[in-house]
Amino acid sequence: MGALKWEFFLKKHIEGFFNRKFASELEVAEIEKNLEREILLKKEKKENIAYVPNVYTIYVSAPDYQRICSQRITDELYTGIEKQVIANDFFMEDKLIVSFMQNIELKKGMCDIKSFFRLSIPEIQEDKDSIESHTIVLERPSFSKPLNLPQEYKVASLTVVDGPDTEAYLEFGERPIYIGRREKNEFFLTDKNASRVHSYIVFEKHRHLLYDADSLNGTYVNGQKIKSQCLKFGDEIQVGNTIILYEVV
């Protein structure tokens, strides 16, 4: 074997060995960064409202797939997307779906993310030699089984920053939140100027909407009286003499 051929042979096989042996593993933080870029890249405006895709497929190498493809990681990424939607003042229609797929053509430590709006998902002809079918698909929980409630993906919080219940705190996600003096409310207040059910928060288009519940003294957001309001990060809600801060956790 000539000197050049021998040099090429050694370079090819030694580099291949080191790439296989010492390639860095894919970290969840890197997937989160790629998801954030994908969300910003694919947003679409409709009547001055920015919508983002609701279906995200994460392609990873075979070694990374075996190591990180789990319910815990998928839950974490699902929650991260929900937080990005709120933090960036975006909206999302329909269910959020996050899934992992294996692609043997990807190198260890790399990932590729494809996102779609539900109504524009193409039919995928899967190559069995290069792609393994979904093993984990996470959708927005269904509440059809009251005795077996699904996991709550907590993405936002309410904190009393002024008033009788200062430092009262609640983390929440997609379930309705009732605010007021009624003891069984999710966010219970002792403020005598608050109604028993003063206001409530619901989850629509992956955002939290605050509604006044025909309260006696009204509900305010950032000093403005409202009947309903889509909450943004940092909004201050006034209920009676209580100021409540809304944040992404």
Side-chain angles (χ1 to χ4, degrees):
M1 184 181 293
L4 289 176
K5 288 185 178 179
W6 178 248
E7 182 180 346
F8 175 78
F9 175 84
L10 288 176
K11 182 178 180 181
K12 178 180 178 181
H13 286 79
I14 290 175
E15 283 185 354
F17 169 78
F18 278 95
N19 284 339
R20 291 191 300 272
K21 191 73 175 176
F22 300 107
S24 60
E25 295 180 332
L26 181 64
E27 300 294 337
V28 176
E30 185 62 28
I31 299 176
E32 290 174 333
K33 289 179 183 177
N34 288 341
L35 279 169
E36 183 177 355
R37 286 194 290 267
E38 183 71 12
I39 289 169
L40 295 174
L41 180 66
K42 293 293 184 67
K43 69 177 185 295
E44 293 183 0
K45 280 200 170 183
K46 302 177 184 177
E47 299 179 351
N48 294 321
I49 297 175
Y51 287 88
V52 296
N54 62 307
V55 178
Y56 296 84
T57 305
I58 305 163
Y59 296 88
V60 297
S61 68
D64 288 323
Y65 183 90
Q66 296 298 324
R67 183 176 58 86
I68 67 174
C69 185
S70 67
Q71 190 67 45
R72 181 182 64 82
I73 298 300
T74 311
D75 288 348
E76 187 175 333
L77 296 174
Y78 179 103
T79 304
I81 293 172
E82 295 277 35
K83 292 179 182 179
Q84 283 294 322
V85 171
I86 298 171
N88 288 289
D89 197 20
F90 296 151
F91 290 83
M92 180 189 296
E93 295 182 312
D94 218 306
K95 295 179 180 179
L96 169 59
I97 301 175
V98 181
S99 63
F100 276 98
M101 293 184 74
Q102 180 183 180
N103 187 337
I104 63 173
E105 295 179 358
L106 285 175
K107 293 181 180 179
K108 184 180 178 183
M110 298 180 63
C111 73
D112 186 26
I113 296 175
K114 303 295 183 185
S115 65
F116 307 99
F117 292 87
R118 172 171 286 276
L119 298 179
S120 60
I121 303 175
E123 292 186 14
I124 301 175
Q125 297 296 324
E126 295 182 352
D127 182 351
K128 293 183 179 179
D129 294 329
S130 64
I131 298 177
E132 180 175 325
S133 298
H134 301 191
T135 60
I136 293 182
V137 177
L138 183 63
E139 299 187 6
R140 178 178 171 182
S142 168
F143 297 100
S144 58
K145 298 179 180 180
L147 297 180
N148 186 24
L149 290 176
Q151 178 178 345
E152 172 80 349
Y153 300 97
K154 295 178 180 179
V155 298
S157 68
L158 298 174
T159 307
V160 174
V161 294
D162 192 17
D165 302 291
T166 299
E167 297 185 1
Y169 180 80
L170 175 70
E171 291 185 358
F172 62 103
E174 301 176 352
R175 300 180 188 178
I177 301 297
Y178 290 89
I179 302 169
R181 289 189 297 105
R182 187 181 62 173
E183 290 188 5
K184 67 178 182 180
N185 288 336
E186 285 73 16
F187 203 68
F188 169 64
L189 300 174
T190 61
D191 187 344
K192 293 181 179 179
N193 289 297
S195 299
R196 283 175 52 76
V197 179
H198 195 105
S199 55
Y200 59 95
I201 297 172
V202 296
F203 196 68
E204 297 178 10
K205 295 186 178 180
H206 298 261
R207 295 293 300 276
H208 290 118
L209 273 67
L210 173 69
Y211 288 87
D212 179 69
D214 294 325
S215 63
L216 181 62
N217 294 317
T219 301
Y220 296 77
V221 175
N222 301 325
Q224 299 294 317
K225 191 173 184 178
I226 61 99
K227 283 296 183 182
S228 65
Q229 178 80 34
C230 180
L231 293 173
K232 298 179 182 180
F233 180 89
D235 278 349
E236 290 189 344
I237 304 164
Q238 182 176 348
V239 172
N241 293 329
T242 300
I243 304 295
I244 305 168
L245 179 65
Y246 170 82
E247 295 181 292
V248 176
V249 295

